[in-house]
Amino acid sequence: MRRLKQLLSGIDRQSYQAYKTLKGVYRYPDFTLSIDHVQGDPFAEPSRISVRMPMQQAGYPKQLWATPVRRVALEDFVARALRTAIRERVRGGRGTGKSGLVEICAGGQQVLRRNAVILNANAVEARLTMGLPAAGRRVLSQEAAEMFFRELPAVVAHGMAYRQLSPQAAELHVKSVEDQVYLRQWLDSAGLVAFLADGSILPRRSGIDDRPLTEGALPLRAPESLARTVKLPNAGSVRGMGVPRGVTLVVGGGFHGKSTLLHALERGVYDHVPGDGREQVATSPSAMKVRAEDGRAVSRVDISPFIDRLPLGRDTQRFTTDNASGSTSQAAAIMEAMECGTQLLLVDEDTSATNFMIRDHRMQSLVAKEKEPITPFLHRIRELFERHGVSTVLVMGGSGDYFEAADTVVMLDTYQPVDVTREARRLAGNDLQRLPLGTVAGLKPITTRRPRRSDLNAGYGRREVKIGARGQSALLYGKHTIELSKVEQLVDVGQTRAVGWLIHYYAKHGAQQPISLVAGLRSALSEVEDRGLDILLPWTAGNLAMPRLHELAAAVNRMRGLQWD
Ligand code: ADP
Ligand code: MG
């Protein structure tokens, strides 16, 4: 600490580059500070530091981190506590550019494995970024000293040491996440693909604010016929709505909460912070939202089960385009989801291509079958389940055609689910037999395609690796900008970055093996699961969060200009 003080006072008013001399490790009374990277100028990415406190000093009771699930939850809790402490105790704005800013990547409503805080039996370590203060491009030692010797120790004391945190909140956080993991695993044994507990609050504050709606939110209550009870390890018995395997239709008038429910199911693959309203909503971990996304690139995907005989004889068994249409993009999304081994597709009429979803009798009479390249989803939805075990939850308020294909029909009436399966069956009559299950060529998931390894080079100009994120939905990877705004289950900018680093890892380690893209990505992910996100980075940083296989593959699938084998 003394040494840092001396270094700082020696560089006052010098050019900003002088900060580079600070790189190194310094001992504070309660923790060790490591200055891992010093930014090149006040406008660049802020400097990276890490703070390490021995476990004895930090004082977390063992039962809070005794299992891997609990440890991730506690790490998440500490990252959030540090963020709060930063907001309360850091002044910010100490000069040019990012001068004075202190940040930690603690995430939004989801609890994800991250590398902002890493905890083990020896120590707890937090990675922060810090904008070293400058006037113009000159070092401001006095301001930096305030940050290093007043703010940082206060942040660490209040955000990292157990005795300063709320033991009740920490315990609640850990137990809640543990229940969510249990609930998600329980689904399969209960024959369900999703569960939404009574009392869950599904609506969000706004389209850009993922926190729960506070005013006028109607808590969910399961209809008796779909009600299930689960016994959670911490919360005990919980009643809620079970969504059974098979085809589930969500119907109801406009603005009655259908899309909101589907959104909650999309997010149900993740754990949520206590108070989110969705912390007892769980979805099958492989659930995949599939939607239309015109304009995206598609590479060598067999979409022939849905789209065949395109005009001018275009190949749809190895469909490749830089500019997919609504229906071809949605077909590709389904095939890609199956390639990743999904067990549950989530589909919303709001984000689907109409001609992909339905073709009514009149249209069938007008346009001869030979002239229509599309086999609507309706004609594959049962096959998906019966032959491939892939369930679907489909929001469809605009057409009754799907009644005949549904196992369960839920109507949302003023945000409340009502089981209308019987009425829907009655209306559909015996139409079920009309569905041409097996009358068209069977649907086979893709298994072997993969991109050429050399095309996945992350280099850019003289930089060997350039990987970054512009917000959550744009991944910068070498020369590529990968557009991810329609990959709706990507929920955190840390996941976006990690996806970039995982692609790079895959390109270095897995892409030369003669295995499929998905197998390669899966093995990269399991390495990271075993050894931690840090193995992806050539330096110390705390800005990654764990993505799923599905979003990782989705990013590669959207890259343009790759050669595929
Ligand atoms: P739909 O897809 O049926 O047209 P949405 O899901 O888009 O309807 O919901 C319409 C509006 O109702 C949204 O503004 C949403 O936030 C709100 N909403 C949804 N569920 C609830 C609820 N349980 N309580 C209060 N408002 C809700
Ligand atoms: Mg809707």
Side-chain angles (χ1 to χ4, degrees):
M1 214 170 137
R2 267 238 306 283
R3 197 159 49 82
L4 182 57
K5 273 188 183 140
Q6 282 164 0
L7 279 173
L8 267 178
S9 61
I11 59 171
D12 195 28
R13 302 284 157 179
Q14 291 188 13
S15 92
Y16 202 81
Q17 290 297 320
Y19 269 134
K20 293 273 182 199
T21 55
L22 299 188
K23 192 171 171 180
V25 179
Y26 307 93
R27 225 164 286 292
Y28 281 57
D30 293 333
F31 58 90
T32 312
L33 163 70
S34 170
I35 299 179
D36 299 315
H37 172 78
V38 178
Q39 66 205 98
D41 74 82
F43 295 92
E45 294 269 298
S47 304
R48 297 193 303 267
I49 65 168
S50 45
V51 167
R52 197 179 154 84
M53 190 183 267
M55 197 41 137
Q56 240 169 356
Q57 199 91 16
Y60 297 104
K62 177 128 198 225
Q63 91 270 2
L64 287 184
W65 51 272
T67 65
V69 167
R70 287 189 164 214
R71 186 169 48 77
V72 168
L74 183 61
E75 287 171 347
D76 178 272
F77 181 80
V78 176
R80 288 167 198 276
L82 279 163
R83 182 168 59 193
T84 305
I86 290 168
R87 284 183 186 150
E88 288 169 359
R89 282 154 215 282
V90 171
R91 197 182 84 193
R94 288 180 185 271
T96 333
K98 309 214 163 107
S99 291
L101 301 186
V102 179
E103 281 173 16
I104 183 165
C105 294
Q109 295 297 102
Q110 287 79 28
V111 176
L112 303 172
R113 183 170 181 187
R114 353 181 122 261
N115 66 349
V117 169
I118 306 260
L119 195 146
N120 60 38
N122 303 321
V124 49
E125 182 178 317
R127 287 87 181 264
L128 313 177
T129 59
M130 202 168 187
L132 296 178
R137 285 197 155 72
R138 307 245 151 237
V139 168
L140 285 180
S141 289
Q142 198 48 49
E143 299 289 334
E146 290 272 304
M147 294 179 75
F148 279 117
F149 306 119
R150 228 171 35 87
E151 291 180 348
L152 185 63
V155 165
V156 172
H158 288 88
M160 214 162 161
Y162 181 67
R163 65 189 137 76
Q164 293 289 343
L165 303 175
S166 153
Q168 294 85 358
E171 189 176 327
L172 176 68
H173 202 85
V174 165
K175 288 188 165 172
S176 167
V177 169
E178 190 169 64
D179 278 352
Q180 298 181 54
V181 171
Y182 178 91
L183 180 60
R184 203 170 295 106
Q185 283 169 355
W186 166 80
L187 291 175
D188 203 39
S189 63
L192 303 177
V193 290
F195 177 87
L196 304 99
D198 286 356
S200 294
I201 300 290
L202 309 186
R204 301 292 101 190
R205 236 169 258 189
S206 79
I208 51 164
D209 188 341
D210 197 34
R211 290 173 301 169
L213 182 69
T214 40
E215 251 163 65
L218 241 75
L220 182 116
R221 188 169 164 83
E224 206 47 59
S225 55
L226 293 173
R228 301 289 296 262
T229 299
V230 55
K231 198 158 179 303
L232 298 177
N234 302 303
S237 280
V238 173
R239 179 189 184 272
M241 181 168 96
V243 179
R245 274 191 212 123
V247 175
T248 300
L249 214 55
V250 179
V251 302
F255 230 61
H256 277 256
K258 302 183 298 298
S259 296
T260 303
L261 178 102
L262 197 77
H263 252 107
L265 296 183
E266 290 163 25
R267 298 299 171 91
V269 300
Y270 297 117
D271 302 323
H272 287 92
V273 295
D276 173 79
R278 299 168 296 186
E279 61 270 49
Q280 287 176 341
V281 175
T283 311
S284 162
S286 66
M288 193 67 185
K289 170 80 175 280
V290 291
R291 56 169 292 167
E293 185 183 347
D294 55 334
R296 66 161 279 200
V298 175
S299 299
R300 280 191 66 142
V301 177
D302 180 3
I303 58 167
S304 63
F306 295 103
I307 299 168
D308 213 351
R309 301 183 305 264
L310 281 183
L312 311 174
R314 279 194 69 173
D315 185 2
T316 60
Q317 290 184 18
R318 302 148 128 237
F319 185 68
T320 301
T321 179
D322 262 335
N323 189 6
S325 65
S327 51
T328 50
S329 62
Q330 196 161 3
I334 291 172
M335 299 313 291
E336 289 164 349
M338 288 184 73
E339 190 181 10
C340 287
T342 191
Q343 306 261 46
L344 174 63
L345 300 175
L346 302 171
V347 186
D348 192 332
E349 59 182 349
D350 292 352
T351 50
S352 292
T354 307
N355 59 345
F356 181 76
M357 301 306 290
I358 44 177
R359 188 163 67 250
D360 68 11
H361 291 294
R362 275 191 196 155
M363 197 52 90
Q364 282 178 32
S365 322
L366 182 67
V367 181
K369 181 147 180 40
E370 305 81 59
K371 284 275 164 63
E372 173 51 68
I374 301 178
T375 303
F377 187 52
L378 173 61
H379 291 175
R380 290 287 186 190
I381 196 168
R382 288 230 61 85
E383 180 189 1
L384 276 168
F385 178 57
E386 281 160 24
R387 291 212 180 125
H388 300 278
V390 179
S391 299
T392 300
V393 176
L394 168 65
V395 168
M396 182 57 90
S399 164
D401 283 8
Y402 277 87
F403 287 173
E404 53 205 66
D407 299 300
T408 310
V409 183
V410 177
M411 179 166 80
L412 284 184
D413 183 358
T414 325
Y415 317 129
Q416 289 308 319
V418 182
D419 184 354
V420 294
T421 308
R422 276 216 196 132
E423 290 89 316
R425 282 253 168 79
R426 200 166 40 74
L427 289 170
N430 288 330
D431 283 355
L432 205 54
Q433 289 132 18
R434 252 195 11 225
L435 285 179
L437 174 63
T439 60
V440 264
L443 182 157
K444 279 197 260 31
I446 346 160
T447 49
T448 57
R449 70 191 181 109
R450 66 196 158 113
R452 291 244 170 102
R453 180 189 175 206
S454 52
D455 289 353
L456 291 175
N457 187 348
Y460 188 90
R462 273 185 316 191
R463 286 175 67 177
E464 200 182 318
V465 180
K466 179 173 177 271
I467 293 170
R470 206 184 303 122
Q472 181 190 301
S473 55
L475 169 60
L476 310 177
Y477 185 87
K479 298 194 184 94
H480 298 264
T481 299
I482 310 173
E483 157 65 39
L484 298 171
S485 59
K486 305 281 161 49
V487 180
E488 294 179 81
Q489 287 163 294
L490 189 74
V491 295
D492 191 294
V493 60
Q495 287 184 311
T496 308
R497 285 188 205 100
V499 162
W501 286 103
L502 274 155
I503 296 173
H504 179 56
Y505 187 92
Y506 163 74
K508 275 199 311 192
H509 298 98
Q512 62 271 49
Q513 291 158 21
I515 52 174
S516 69
L517 169 69
V518 166
L521 296 179
R522 201 175 255 136
S523 94
L525 265 177
S526 83
E527 282 281 299
V528 174
E529 256 141 33
D530 288 351
R531 295 162 54 207
L533 284 157
D534 283 350
I535 66 164
L536 296 174
L537 294 172
W539 48 68
T540 308
N543 59 3
L544 302 184
M546 200 70 182
R548 296 191 306 162
L549 170 68
H550 304 74
E551 284 67 45
L552 174 56
V556 180
N557 284 328
R558 278 162 184 73
M559 288 174 81
R560 295 174 188 276
L562 307 184
Q563 292 284 325
W564 291 71
D565 298 317

